[in-house]
Amino acid sequence: MSTPPAISAPAAPNPALGVAPVAIPHTHTEDAVAIFTGVLLISVGVAFFTSAGLLTGGTAGLAFLLHYATGIGFGKIFFVLNLPFYWLALRKLGRAFTVKTFIAVLLLSLLTELQSQLLQFAQLQPLYAAIAGGLITGTGFLVLFRHRCSLGGVGIAALYLQDRYGWRAGKVQMAVDCCIVLLALWTVEPLRVAWSIAGAVALNLVLAMNHRPGRYMAV
């Protein structure tokens, strides 16, 4: 019996020949599943942080700090903080991005409200919570970013700066997150702030290594 001819793999596009890879747009179903998946992962990461008494970065972290300082509800502060970023997203990143981001923010708000009924930890070490929560949350953000979506606030600014100036979204968000967590020294014990910074670094390392121009075409 003769051996069937081997089927060769398609040749990769050759940049030297000027042939660019073709980006296949995501379908609405793929976007919907990705938004739910990303937000669900982020809500689990937030549960790790809050159960261990840690802080999150980004707009949510700033909203938590203002909530502790003023007593105003977290949801109200979070919504108000995001308003100028929605305007930026609509003008610079498009209507589709803005609508998907609004849906993601709303879904995360609902999930975090139900989180205590769905997920509880009997014992959780702060350092483990910081690293695991950061990696899980970073993966969730990566899913959202690759479907042209975010959770508002710093995420919108980071994506805009990456598209406009080529700054890596992960590095931008890491710098902002660390600044926000450092502000918590006024209200939180230093050791927990240190764990929170470790969580912010873990989160943004996922983005810095995996979300960069040319590595993935989000359409």
Side-chain angles (χ1 to χ4, degrees):
M1 180 181 294
S2 60
T3 304
I7 301 176
S8 59
N14 189 346
L17 299 178
V19 180
V22 178
I24 302 175
H26 294 121
T27 66
H28 293 308
T29 300
E30 290 172 338
D31 282 339
V33 172
I35 290 173
F36 179 79
T37 301
V39 171
L40 182 63
L41 288 172
I42 292 169
S43 70
V44 173
V46 170
F48 271 78
F49 289 135
T50 55
S51 296
L54 305 178
L55 297 166
T56 59
T59 311
L62 184 57
F64 270 119
L65 290 178
L66 293 175
H67 166 65
Y68 296 145
T70 66
I72 300 174
F74 169 82
K76 295 178 181 178
I77 297 175
F78 187 69
F79 178 78
V80 171
L81 289 176
N82 272 302
L83 289 178
F85 294 104
Y86 287 132
W87 176 82
L88 175 64
L90 188 61
R91 290 198 57 185
K92 302 297 184 181
L93 298 173
R95 180 179 178 181
F97 176 90
T98 305
V99 171
K100 287 188 286 188
T101 295
F102 178 81
I103 293 172
V105 170
L106 179 61
L107 181 57
L108 181 62
S109 299
L110 293 174
L111 285 176
T112 51
E113 287 293 322
L114 298 173
Q115 197 72 269
S116 60
Q117 304 175 31
L118 302 175
L119 181 64
Q120 296 181 1
F121 299 101
Q123 182 178 0
L124 192 60
Q125 295 297 324
L127 181 57
Y128 176 83
I131 301 301
L135 294 176
I136 293 171
T137 304
T139 303
F141 273 113
L142 183 64
V143 173
L144 294 182
F145 285 176
R146 288 187 168 181
H147 284 259
R148 299 297 295 170
C149 178
S150 79
L151 280 177
V154 176
I156 290 176
L159 284 178
Y160 168 71
L161 291 172
Q162 177 166 286
D163 290 345
R164 181 67 176 83
Y165 299 106
W167 300 354
R168 291 186 188 175
K171 289 186 176 180
V172 172
Q173 190 152 336
M174 180 186 294
V176 175
D177 285 355
C178 288
C179 290
I180 291 174
V181 172
L182 285 174
L183 290 175
L185 285 170
W186 295 96
T187 57
V188 181
E189 62 185 76
L191 185 57
R192 291 193 182 276
V193 172
W195 299 149
S196 299
I197 293 175
V201 171
L203 187 162
N204 290 287
L205 279 177
V206 174
L207 299 180
M209 291 189 298
N210 296 282
H211 188 72
R212 63 177 67 177
R215 173 151 291 180
Y216 184 91
M217 296 176 295
V219 294

